[in-house]
Amino acid sequence: MDVAGEVLLVLELVREVSATGIAVGGGGNDGVSFRKDCTDLVRRISLLSHLIEEIGEFRSRPVDVEESESESESWSSDLVVALRAAKRLLSLAGNFRSKSSSDGATRRITSLFQSVTWKLEKALSSIPYDHFDISEEVQEQVELVRSQLRRATERYGSLNSKMLSHALAQLLNEEIDQGQLGNRLIKSLHIQNNGSIDREVSLKMGAVPESNGSKSHGVNIISYKSRRLGNTSDHSEACLVTDIDADGQDNSPNKSLDEIKKPDPVAIPDDFLCPISLELMRDPVIVATGQTYERSFIQRWIDSGNATCPKTQQKLENFTLTPNYVLRSLITQWCAKHNIEQPTGLTNGKIKKSDGSFRDVSGDIAAIRALVRKLSSRSVEEHRTAAAEIRSLSKRSTDNRILIAESGGIPILVNLLTSEDVLTQENAVTSILNLSIYENNKGLIMLAGAIPSIVQVLRNGSMEARENAAATLFSLSLGDENKIIIGASGAIPALVALLQDGSARGKKDAATALFNLCIYQGNKGRAVRAGIISALLKMLTDPSNCMVDEALTIMSVLASHHEAKVAIVKASTIPVLIDLMRTGLPRNKENAAAILLALCKRDSDNLACISRLGAVIPLTELAKSGTERAKRKATSLLEHLRKLQQL
């Protein structure tokens, strides 16, 4: 295959895996589900499309044919193998159900997942990024994917490259019948792993910390306490705080094999698994054809415009969802018998509290489910009223946030973001903001495809809706992958617009979201091109001085980026920064010195400029009496100035 064909093949494979969407997943045992890991794998692979597109653009330039073929062999072949294996694994996981007769099936699937993530990370590490002139943004994006793949691989147990290669080969060589995956399939996937991957995998949403391994930016992080969630003054329940680890590393301890070994899990009866998600049901409901599904999944199926039963393909005569109380009771009894906690700690109408005790929420569940049903009503008035009540409930407690999500409220609220009724839209976006405070809900909101609609609200909604849309993007952007997805969605120009023309509260919401998004290197260029530097300069020179701190903090994150550096200097920001070192508050002086240092590193013109503008005196004073960080920055900048004078 020629070079162009190789690039197209890789891009097509990336798109095929990306199109798998959230339909992948698999039933597991003992509370273990592969759904989130498969979804994460899909999302990580989808992020590679930018890389392949840039390689394709590079390949369109005139190059030596022999060199092109050589490079093609060295980078694409391993990646094609890894992507084909990922596609096969997702197909397998989407149909897999653990049977009582398939001893150790979960461990076998685990080893396959480990082999795919291992191969994919290895393939990405061999790409000659410099040769292909890959942009800095895309390189950082790929590095983030690689670091997450490494952690996913290591989380499944100790590495054995020979065993992983063998598992990968079997995965690619075996023909998988999509319709029948009984004992024949399980036997065909048998891998002698000598117990090296006998590890329980925690797949609860948000349980595994994700980090892009980025270095500390050396800035004081904005702490955003959402005091006004749902117009409440009580922020004890709603506190959104972002922070950066000093070294960005995953500090989870490395446990020995003996410590992580778990006994074989018990098999979940097939009737307890939702036919859509293949996961243990917690709120089974019956549709018009008599089939039973997990409420949130069948509701999402219907809300997407489908009018047939997913299992039988028969047309649904109505969309009534009748609770299957008998099956729910059987599942609860089975969970209690096998000492299995139902998802989210919701068991038999009770929620597990932090102290280990349980609170009866059966009455709350019934009321919330009734409200969620009203959200799907054809009446605009019922939409508005139900969304307002959901907004009020979601601001009150974590329990309510869990129950609203469990009742399938998130995808319906996402649909209401595009409502033409202003109040409904405001209540829907604020409800999603409130729900996002609970960590597990962040993933559900992203899976519901909320970002494009939130960005639409941010652009065209009322001022209150725009404010809360910005706050929601901040909350969701706490995850590294989400920073990339939100940045690529067009959110940054809309946030910059709010920063320029929003209300006082809207500007603070936009500033907080932009700060968090710009921690990711790939979003810095987007922010600069959206005009953020002129907006920040306006904030620095505003006589009210109400947002100087926020402006300096964002600018200190941007200043190391070349495009931002050029824009900051071109906007004549240096004199303003020097003046702030003289007259600003201690933290303002600290950040002003940090920005100036970033601007002057390896740039003699900027050094000469700050020298001419009289920066030496305030820098000397700061080196003596500033904060510890300010002293370091000022001392370093003075040293650069001394070296310049000696030239």
Side-chain angles (χ1 to χ4, degrees), residues 38-77:
C38 290
T39 302
D40 286 345
L41 181 61
V42 169
R43 289 170 61 187
R44 287 163 189 164
I45 289 175
S46 68
L47 293 174
L48 300 179
S49 60
H50 302 297
L51 169 68
I52 309 306
E53 286 166 0
E54 286 202 2
I55 292 176
E57 290 172 3
F58 178 86
R59 285 304 192 190
S60 65
R61 307 172 194 170
V63 291
D64 182 81
V65 176
E66 290 185 6
E67 179 188 359
S68 296
E69 291 177 352
S70 174
E71 288 292 344
S72 175
E73 288 181 6
S74 65
W75 76 268
S76 63
S77 56

Side-chain angles (χ1 to χ4, degrees), residues 4 52 78 105 130 138 155-156 164 192 229 235 241 275 307 330 339 398 454 471 487-488 510 530 542 551 598 643:
I52 309 306
D78 281 352
D130 292 339
V138 171
R155 195 166 71 246
Y156 280 98
L164 293 174
Q192 298 296 333
L229 293 185
H235 56 87
V241 180
L330 290 172
N339 197 28
T398 298
I454 294 173
D542 185 347
K643 289 179 180 179

Side-chain angles (χ1 to χ4, degrees), residues 52-304:
I52 309 306
E53 286 166 0
E54 286 202 2
I55 292 176
E57 290 172 3
F58 178 86
R59 285 304 192 190
S60 65
R61 307 172 194 170
V63 291
D64 182 81
V65 176
E66 290 185 6
E67 179 188 359
S68 296
E69 291 177 352
S70 174
E71 288 292 344
S72 175
E73 288 181 6
S74 65
W75 76 268
S76 63
S77 56
D78 281 352
L79 193 53
V80 166
V81 169
L83 291 170
R84 282 176 170 160
K87 184 180 175 183
R88 184 66 62 86
L89 171 66
L90 292 169
S91 175
L92 171 64
N95 292 277
F96 174 72
R97 295 187 185 186
S98 184
K99 306 283 185 178
S100 57
S101 59
S102 57
D103 183 38
T106 299
R107 289 197 304 277
R108 296 181 189 119
I109 290 290
T110 297
S111 67
L112 292 177
F113 193 95
Q114 187 186 40
S115 70
V116 169
T117 54
W118 166 77
K119 182 64 176 179
L120 189 55
E121 194 281 326
K122 187 178 178 183
L124 291 174
S125 68
S126 66
I127 296 176
Y129 300 97
D130 292 339
H131 174 83
F132 291 128
D133 196 23
I134 302 301
S135 67
E136 185 179 353
E137 293 180 5
V138 171
Q139 283 195 54
E140 181 168 331
Q141 189 169 301
V142 175
E143 184 54 39
L144 170 61
V145 172
R146 284 185 57 204
S147 67
Q148 292 177 338
L149 287 169
R150 279 195 298 271
R151 281 197 296 276
T153 302
E154 293 164 0
R155 195 166 71 246
Y156 280 98
S158 57
L159 297 177
N160 182 323
S161 58
K162 185 176 181 180
M163 181 201 71
L164 293 174
S165 296
H166 177 60
L168 197 73
Q170 283 201 331
L171 183 62
L172 289 169
N173 290 335
E174 290 293 337
E175 287 295 328
I176 297 181
D177 182 350
Q178 297 292 334
Q180 299 180 8
L181 291 172
N183 292 332
R184 179 182 61 79
L185 172 61
I186 299 302
K187 291 177 182 178
S188 74
L189 295 172
H190 181 70
I191 298 170
Q192 298 296 333
N193 58 29
N194 298 319
S196 62
I197 313 182
D198 195 4
R199 184 176 184 181
E200 178 180 0
V201 184
S202 176
L203 295 178
K204 291 181 179 179
M205 196 77 72
V208 180
E210 300 284 1
S211 170
N212 65 355
S214 60
K215 296 180 181 178
S216 171
H217 290 279
V219 296
N220 291 320
I221 306 306
I222 293 177
S223 295
Y224 176 78
K225 295 188 176 181
S226 188
R227 293 179 175 84
R228 59 9 173 236
L229 293 185
N231 297 328
T232 179
S233 58
D234 177 9
H235 56 87
S236 60
E237 290 289 345
C239 180
L240 304 179
V241 180
T242 181
D243 201 355
I244 302 176
D245 189 8
D247 55 8
Q249 294 180 351
D250 182 354
N251 296 318
S252 57
N254 295 320
K255 296 184 179 181
S256 67
L257 183 62
D258 291 338
E259 290 177 306
I260 59 178
K261 275 193 175 183
K262 300 290 180 183
D264 287 347
V266 294
I268 301 177
D270 283 351
D271 290 340
F272 292 178
L273 300 174
C274 172
I276 299 175
S277 69
L278 301 181
E279 294 177 359
L280 181 66
M281 288 187 280
R282 46 194 182 274
D283 185 12
V285 292
I286 304 170
V287 298
T289 60
Q291 299 296 324
T292 296
Y293 300 93
E294 173 62 32
R295 180 187 295 275
S296 60
F297 287 100
I298 189 61
Q299 186 67 63
R300 188 179 305 171
W301 169 267
I302 293 170
D303 291 341
S304 298

